[in-house]
Amino acid sequence: MKWIKHISAFFLMLILFGCGKYSFTTTDIGNAKTFQVTLFENNARLVEPGIDTDFTESLRNLLVNQTQLNLVNTAGDLTYEGEIIEYQISPTSANSNNRATQNRLSMTVNVRFFNTLDEQKNFEKSFSFFFDYDGSSLLQGSLKNTAHEEIFERLTQDIFNESLASSF
């Protein structure tokens, strides 16, 4: 019976420690105390009313909730600015009658990040994500809200990770 405990412990350790590389991240805000997020204007060909304000607020909320930084309107230690450069709906698959069976809402934002305390961390980069939905559905109401929430969550987390996350 004792050998069963040893084998069980061995397999438990193998599962916990042998299944790939683990990476832990922390927030690297340095000496920053404040941040600002300017309005991400919608410069995409397809203009969705209010998406600029909604996305900007989503990024602000994520930073408020995941850091101890204070939100300011001007002269932040960290500044996020940019624009929505793509907001489009396209079919991803079709049936034999050339009717879309699945559609994709794609959104891309171009972000300029400025760290006034460490200019080596400044960057300009585009971030993209998408939401797939049934081709027979219209992107409106709760479906559109769900799509925006999922896209915003991924984009803002990617922006956060690029600008403030550090691995150890």
Side-chain angles (χ1 to χ4, degrees):
M1 291 297 169
K2 194 173 190 179
W3 62 274
I4 292 176
K5 288 182 185 179
H6 290 295
I7 291 175
S8 297
F10 171 76
F11 281 113
L12 180 62
M13 288 176 52
L14 186 64
I15 290 169
L16 291 175
F17 300 110
C19 293
K21 179 181 173 185
Y22 288 90
S23 175
F24 298 95
T25 59
T26 60
T27 303
D28 180 15
I29 61 172
N31 292 323
K33 304 266 188 281
T34 61
F35 77 95
Q36 72 182 70
V37 179
T38 61
L39 180 68
F40 277 72
E41 291 186 25
N42 187 356
N43 293 336
R45 287 186 290 174
L46 178 59
V47 176
E48 176 65 33
I51 197 167
D52 49 0
T53 304
D54 293 345
F55 177 76
T56 302
E57 283 303 312
S58 184
L59 182 56
R60 286 177 182 154
N61 289 337
L62 178 121
L63 291 163
V64 164
N65 292 330
Q66 291 193 16
T67 70
Q68 294 179 342
L69 297 169
N70 295 311
L71 174 63
V72 295
N73 292 325
T74 59
D77 295 330
L78 309 176
T79 299
Y80 296 83
E81 64 179 42
E83 50 279 331
I84 299 167
I85 58 175
E86 178 186 283
Y87 183 90
Q88 73 176 27
I89 299 169
S90 56
T92 58
S93 62
N95 62 19
S96 60
N97 297 330
N98 286 332
R99 300 200 82 151
T101 57
Q102 188 170 30
N103 288 326
R104 174 171 287 176
L105 171 63
S106 302
M107 185 171 158
T108 303
V109 293
N110 186 57
V111 177
R112 290 176 295 283
F113 172 74
F114 302 99
N115 183 331
T116 62
L117 305 174
D118 186 354
E119 292 183 3
Q120 292 183 357
K121 294 185 178 181
N122 295 354
F123 67 81
E124 181 170 0
K125 183 175 179 180
S126 293
F127 298 86
S128 299
F129 198 62
F130 60 89
F131 177 84
D132 290 337
Y133 61 98
D134 188 88
S136 64
S137 299
L138 294 175
L139 189 62
Q140 59 187 17
S142 64
L143 180 61
K144 183 168 72 170
N145 291 340
T146 300
H148 287 176
E149 287 172 14
E150 286 190 25
I151 291 171
F152 292 177
E153 181 179 333
R154 176 63 178 266
L155 290 175
T156 58
Q157 192 64 55
D158 287 350
I159 294 165
F160 174 85
N161 289 344
E162 184 73 22
S163 60
L164 297 178
S166 63
S167 298
F168 65 93

